[in-house]
C-alpha cells in the first residue's frame, strides 16, 4: 500500500528528499547531509552502501561525482515511514583541490634558527598516503672539493614549497652542511630546515585527509651542543660559512 506524506504519494521504492545541509572543514573537505522520507518496508533496498556516489543515489537536482556516502542512519517515524539520513564526504566541484590550512603549534625548544614552534598543515589529497611516508634524501657535493663522488644521505620528508597551491612557510635559513678539522678534531653540523615530524590521515570518501607537522631539524658533533642538550650557537657559528647547501 502506498503511504501519503504532505499530499505526496510515496510508492514502493520511492524516497522524498526533505532537507540538505552542507558544511566545510578548515582543510576544505565538504560534508553533505541529506534527509529522506522513505517507507519502512523499503529500508533494506534503499539505504545506500558506504562509497556510493552522490550522483548515483541523490534525488537533488545537482549531482556530485566526487561526493561519496560515508555513513547512514535510519529512524522510524509514524505512519510506517522512516527518516533516512545520508552523510556524504568529498568535494562538491568537478576539479581541483582546496587550499591547505596552515597553523603553528608552540613547542619549547623546537626552534633552531626560527621560533619555538612547529608548522602544522591540514589538507585534502588524492595522492596515495604512502607517498608521504617515504622521506627524502640529501646530496652533498663533495666531488667539488676533491672527493671522488658526492655523498647522498637519507632524510625525513622536507616541507614542500607548496601544498594544493598554498605556499608553505620558508625555512628560517638555507639548508646547509658545514664541517672543519679544528686542532685535529673533526667538527660538523647539518641543518635541514623544516622536516616532517608527524603525520596522521583518514580516508574520507575518495580522498585522504592529511595532517602533517614540520619542525626544524639540526644535528652535529657533540661540541655543537651544550651540556643540557641545547644547540650551542656560538660553536655553530665558529665553523666557516663556506658549507654545502642542498
Amino acid at each position: 500500500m502506498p503511504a501519503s506524506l504532505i499530499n505526496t504519494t510515496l510508492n514502493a521504492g520511492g524516497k522524498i528528499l526533505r532537507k540538505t545541509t552542507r558544511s566545510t572543514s578548515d582543510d576544505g573537505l565538504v560534508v553533505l547531509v541529506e534527509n529522506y522520507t522513505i517507507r519502512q518496508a523499503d529500508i533494506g533496498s534503499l539505504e545506500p552502501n558506504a562509497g556510493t556516489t552522490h550522483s548515483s543515489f541523490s534525488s537533488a537536482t545537482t549531482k556530485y561525482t566526487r561526493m561519496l556516502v560515508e555513513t547512514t542512519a535510519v529512524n522510524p517515524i509514524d505512519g510506517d515511514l522512516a527518516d533516512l539520513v545520508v552523510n556524504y564526504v568529498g568535494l562538491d566541484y568537478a576539479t581541483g583541490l582546496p587550499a591547505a590550512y596552515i597553523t603553528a603549534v608552540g613547542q619549547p625548544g623546537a626552534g633552531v634558527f626560527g621560533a619555538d614552534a612547529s608548522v602544522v598543515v591540514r589538507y585534502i589529497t588524492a595522492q596515495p598516503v604512502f607517498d608521504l611516508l617515504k622521506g627524502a634524501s640529501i646530496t652533498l657535493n663533495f666531488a667539488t672539493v676533491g672527493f671522488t663522488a658526492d655523498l647522498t644521505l637519507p632524510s625525513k620528508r622536507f616541507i614542500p614549497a607548496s601544498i594544493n597551491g598554498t605556499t608553505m612557510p620558508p625555512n628560517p635559513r638555507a639548508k646547509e652542511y658545514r664541517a672543519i678539522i679544528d686542532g685535529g678534531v673533526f667538527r660538523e653540523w647539518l641543518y635541514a630546515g623544516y622536516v616532517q615530524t608527524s603525520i596522521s590521515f583518514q580516508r574520507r570518501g575518495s580522498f585522504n585527509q592529511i595532517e602533517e607537522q614540520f619542525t626544524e631539524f639540526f644535528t652535529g658533533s657533540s661540541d655543537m651542543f651544550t651540556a643540557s642538550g641545547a644547540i650551542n650557537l656560538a660553536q655553530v657559528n665558529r665553523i666557516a660559512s663556506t658549507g654545502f647547501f642542498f
Side-chain angles (χ1 to χ4, degrees):
M1 167 183 287
S4 179
L5 177 71
I6 317 178
N7 298 322
T8 300
T9 300
L10 187 58
N11 295 309
K15 61 183 189 287
I16 298 174
L17 177 61
R18 294 187 295 106
K19 183 176 68 173
T20 300
T21 57
R22 180 187 188 277
S23 61
T24 307
S25 58
D26 55 18
D27 56 19
L29 186 74
V30 175
V31 176
L32 288 180
V33 181
E34 292 183 339
N35 291 73
Y36 291 90
T37 296
I38 63 173
R39 302 190 323 154
Q40 290 187 25
D42 294 329
I43 292 173
S45 60
L46 283 181
E47 185 177 9
N49 294 323
T52 301
T53 62
H54 179 274
S55 58
S56 65
F57 180 81
S58 177
S59 297
T61 302
T62 304
K63 312 289 187 180
Y64 305 113
T65 59
R66 300 206 292 174
M67 300 290 297
L68 303 185
V69 173
E70 185 171 52
T71 61
T72 60
V74 178
N75 304 300
I77 56 179
D78 293 342
D80 295 324
L81 300 174
D83 181 36
L84 171 62
V85 183
V86 184
N87 295 277
Y88 307 86
V89 293
L91 298 174
D92 56 358
Y93 44 90
T95 61
L97 293 170
Y101 178 81
I102 307 171
T103 187
V105 177
Q107 294 183 336
V112 179
F113 298 108
D116 284 340
S118 294
V119 176
V120 178
V121 187
R122 293 194 285 271
Y123 59 98
I124 304 302
T125 182
Q127 180 182 6
V129 71
F130 300 108
D131 290 348
L132 305 174
L133 305 177
K134 291 179 179 179
S137 62
I138 296 170
T139 298
L140 303 176
N141 297 320
F142 282 2
T144 63
V145 291
F147 286 78
T148 57
D150 293 339
L151 177 64
T152 299
L153 302 171
S155 171
K156 294 184 177 182
R157 168 174 154 84
F158 301 126
I159 192 169
S162 66
I163 295 177
N164 290 358
T166 304
T167 301
M168 294 295 104
N171 291 314
R173 63 172 291 164
K175 302 191 294 290
E176 185 181 8
Y177 171 76
R178 295 188 190 183
I180 61 169
I181 298 176
D182 185 10
V185 177
F186 184 70
R187 305 169 63 235
E188 65 176 344
W189 60 259
L190 183 145
Y191 174 72
Y194 290 118
V195 301
Q196 183 192 80
T197 48
S198 72
I199 181 172
S200 60
F201 75 96
Q202 285 184 294
R203 186 68 176 177
R204 305 293 304 276
S206 59
F207 298 95
N208 289 315
Q209 188 174 37
I210 307 292
E211 180 175 296
E212 281 190 274
Q213 179 173 295
F214 298 92
T215 308
E216 284 185 277
F217 177 82
F218 178 93
T219 189
S221 50
S222 60
D223 58 325
M224 297 297 116
F225 300 90
T226 65
S228 64
I231 297 171
N232 188 333
L233 291 177
Q235 291 290 354
V236 167
N237 291 323
R238 281 185 60 192
I239 299 181
S241 61
T242 54
F244 298 90
F245 296 95
F246 54 90

